[in-house]
Amino acid sequence: MSTDDKNRAIAAAILPLVGGAENISSVAHCMTRLRLGLRDRSLVRDEALKALPSVMGVVEDDTYQIVLGPGTVARVTPELEALVAAAPKPAPAVPSHDADDLAAQGAALKAAQKAKNATPFKLFLRRIANIFVPLIPALIGCGIIAGLNGLLINLGWLPGVTPALAAMASGFMALIAVFVGYNTAKEFGGTAILGGAVAAIIVFPGVAKIDAFGQTLSPGQGGVLGALGAAILAVYVEKWCRRWVPESLDVLVTPTLTVLISGLVTIFGLMFVAGEISTAIGEFANWLLANAGAGAGFLLGGLFLPLVMLGLHQALIPIHTTLIEQQGYTVLLPILAMAGAGQVGAAMAVYLKLPRNGSLRRTIKSALPAGFLGVGEPLIYGVSLPLGRPFVTACVGGAFGGGFVGLFSMLGDTVGSTAIGPSGWALFPLLDGNKGLGETIAIYAGGLLVGYLAGFVATYFWGFSRELLEEFNVDTETAPAEVTVATGGGTPTKAPETEPEPAKV
């Protein structure tokens, strides 16, 4: 079967299990997940969907999210879109009535949790994330090219090619403020190109001739934070104009006033203020890791997954982007990536502690390769989170891995990533730092090993109570009713409603 046929088959298998084409209101995807807007959630056959070999897990948030993994999701999404577009209004799928009581109870709990997490602050953070997530592929591609270029320069190879590679790697970052402004206006309900136009002022070389607050402005001053603020302001100015400008003059007056008013505020206010904030973020991150690296790394590595569960990790995305824009890499991502290492170590301990639970062991075996590459959802939702205590001990593993990387920052060896999104082994091509590449890779690899080991030890010795072992260490082939497992095994344990990323750490 060709790759196209395989992806089409995956889409065709998913479609009836989510209620058919008529039940789908929107189709999108991120780095690892297919995101579906559904008209009737009750038509989804969760267990049958989880049983598909290509599905690593499901998460329900503001959209229904099917974890397919990086690469696969980008190819399956257009196939599903094509099937939905071509469908001649099929009859809705019949919902499964197995375990009615548990399903009803789970639906009520999910609805309550979803309402709890739909706070204005978290919804605002989700909108901020929606601005930056589409930029991740370009950040990854340019980051890898930058790493390759640095390696060639250090080796003295291909001197005629390295300037071209530098242009490819730096071109996007030089104009990232424009893309942020475009996405911001689009996300907040304005005209996207006007947001990009206002944000472009920030990177225009001519601002070097302008004085504000007694200082001469610099092109790029304020960076992505300035672009974010400028585009949001442009949206509000545009909406005001749409409300008050006569319709006959709207096409001329509204865009002019939007760019003029927002541009003046950006030049004589936002660029300076956002520049000061951006500088403070960079200085604080460097100071924190230089003076309290081990402790800061321990806390960040240990608390990152709980932050993901609460949806608060999205606040870190503009900070990552600001650090990359300022320094060429973010020093926070390699530390946060240790949370995934703790999950891998914990999963391996669970595998050994439950030798009779064939269903759960199969889930772990299928999810571990993705876990090593930084895709943590299958291990989180299929293994550690449903079991409870192993999720906590996995966080302990991430804390020790983060502390290891942070310790070296205190010793003067900074480890950073030139892009956001990848994690685990997938982060190796994006590593950069203030020392040689070999030393940077060695420190990051050491952090992963510490995270694996600490997560394994903590889970093996302290991750199970006697009652938990008795409940889950059973033969699921002969006693399926005694144990249930989340992903690929068959438990009705619900996934949290908040969205876990990147790991897109």
Side-chain angles (χ1 to χ4, degrees):
M1 183 183 293
S2 68
T3 301
D4 289 342
D5 290 340
K6 178 182 176 182
N7 295 324
R8 194 172 298 115
I10 294 173
I14 289 174
L15 186 58
L17 300 181
V18 294
E22 210 171 53
N23 194 39
I24 296 177
S25 60
S26 64
V27 180
H29 74 89
C30 62
M31 291 291 292
T32 60
R33 302 177 199 166
L34 174 65
R35 298 168 179 254
L36 302 178
L38 301 177
R39 294 186 173 89
D40 187 349
R41 172 64 181 83
S42 67
L43 298 180
V44 179
R45 296 158 61 186
D46 294 289
E47 298 308 320
L49 193 60
K50 293 175 185 177
L52 293 178
S54 55
V55 174
M56 299 177 179
V58 297
V59 180
E60 188 175 355
D61 197 359
D62 54 332
T63 56
Y64 190 80
Q65 301 167 17
I66 303 171
V67 183
L68 298 176
T72 301
V73 69
R75 292 168 173 81
V76 171
T77 300
E79 298 292 348
L80 185 67
E81 289 175 328
L83 291 175
V84 171
K89 296 185 179 180
V94 179
S96 173
H97 295 290
D98 295 333
D100 287 338
D101 292 341
L102 285 175
Q105 182 181 1
L109 289 171
K110 287 182 179 181
Q113 184 65 29
K114 186 174 183 179
K116 179 180 178 181
N117 286 324
T119 64
F121 178 65
K122 291 181 181 178
L123 292 175
F124 176 77
L125 291 181
R126 189 174 298 152
R127 300 184 82 172
I128 297 299
N130 290 341
I131 293 167
F132 288 91
V133 167
L135 306 181
I136 289 177
L139 286 169
I140 293 173
C142 295
I144 291 177
I145 293 173
L148 175 62
N149 189 52
L151 181 63
L152 292 176
I153 292 175
N154 291 336
L155 295 174
W157 294 355
L158 302 176
V161 176
T162 51
L165 291 177
M168 297 175 198
S170 304
F172 172 74
M173 290 306 302
L175 297 174
I176 190 172
V178 179
F179 296 102
V180 169
Y182 184 94
N183 287 349
T184 300
K186 183 178 179 180
E187 178 64 26
F188 282 84
T191 301
I193 197 64
L194 291 179
V198 174
I201 297 170
I202 293 174
V203 296
F204 177 60
V207 298
K209 301 176 182 179
I210 301 172
D211 291 335
F213 295 96
Q215 298 181 11
T216 301
L217 296 177
S218 301
Q221 185 173 341
V224 296
L225 297 183
L228 187 69
I232 291 175
L233 175 62
V235 170
Y236 282 99
V237 173
E238 180 188 359
K239 289 181 177 179
W240 183 88
C241 290
R242 301 285 184 203
R243 188 180 305 117
W244 295 105
V245 173
E247 188 173 334
S248 59
L249 300 175
D250 181 71
V251 69
L252 296 176
V253 175
T254 297
T256 303
L257 289 180
T258 299
V259 175
L260 179 63
I261 296 173
S262 304
L264 288 172
V265 175
T266 299
I267 292 171
F268 293 105
L270 284 177
M271 285 186 67
F272 176 81
V273 174
E276 294 298 305
I277 295 174
S278 299
T279 301
I281 289 173
E283 290 177 349
F284 178 74
N286 292 332
W287 176 87
L288 182 66
L289 293 180
N291 294 277
F298 189 90
L299 289 175
L300 289 172
L303 295 178
F304 181 65
L305 286 181
L307 287 177
V308 170
M309 298 304 162
L310 295 173
L312 299 177
H313 66 296
Q314 295 165 339
L316 295 171
I317 297 177
I319 296 175
H320 286 311
T321 310
T322 298
L323 292 175
I324 293 172
E325 191 178 36
Q326 283 186 345
Q327 305 174 2
Y329 52 81
T330 168
V331 293
L332 299 179
L333 186 58
I335 291 175
L336 299 177
M338 297 301 121
Q343 288 290 330
V344 169
M348 291 189 287
V350 172
Y351 186 89
L352 294 181
K353 290 288 285 186
L354 303 178
R356 299 177 60 194
N357 194 324
S359 176
L360 184 53
R361 285 163 68 92
R362 283 194 299 273
T363 297
I364 293 172
K365 287 173 67 175
S366 64
L368 270 178
F372 280 115
L373 292 174
V375 181
E377 288 97 332
L379 291 177
I380 295 172
Y381 295 129
V383 182
S384 64
L385 193 60
L387 293 174
R389 191 182 292 185
F391 178 78
V392 177
T393 53
C395 292
V396 171
F400 276 95
F404 179 89
V405 176
L407 175 63
F408 277 89
S409 292
M410 291 181 66
L411 299 176
D413 295 316
T414 301
V415 178
S417 170
T418 57
I420 57 177
S423 183
W425 294 1
L427 198 61
F428 277 111
L430 297 168
L431 291 178
D432 197 0
N434 62 345
K435 297 293 178 69
L437 182 61
E439 189 172 341
T440 300
I441 290 175
I443 294 171
Y444 180 73
L448 289 178
L449 291 175
V450 170
Y452 297 152
L453 182 61
F456 178 89
V457 171
T459 304
Y460 192 87
F461 290 103
W462 298 286
F464 287 87
S465 64
R466 179 178 299 178
E467 293 79 9
L468 195 64
L469 276 176
E470 291 176 353
E471 180 183 357
F472 281 89
N473 192 26
V474 295
D475 188 348
T476 55
E477 305 301 326
T478 59
E482 295 180 14
V483 57
T484 51
V485 181
T487 303
T491 200
T493 302
K494 76 181 186 70
E497 300 308 315
T498 51
E499 179 190 66
E501 253 30 115
K504 331 263 208 38
V505 287

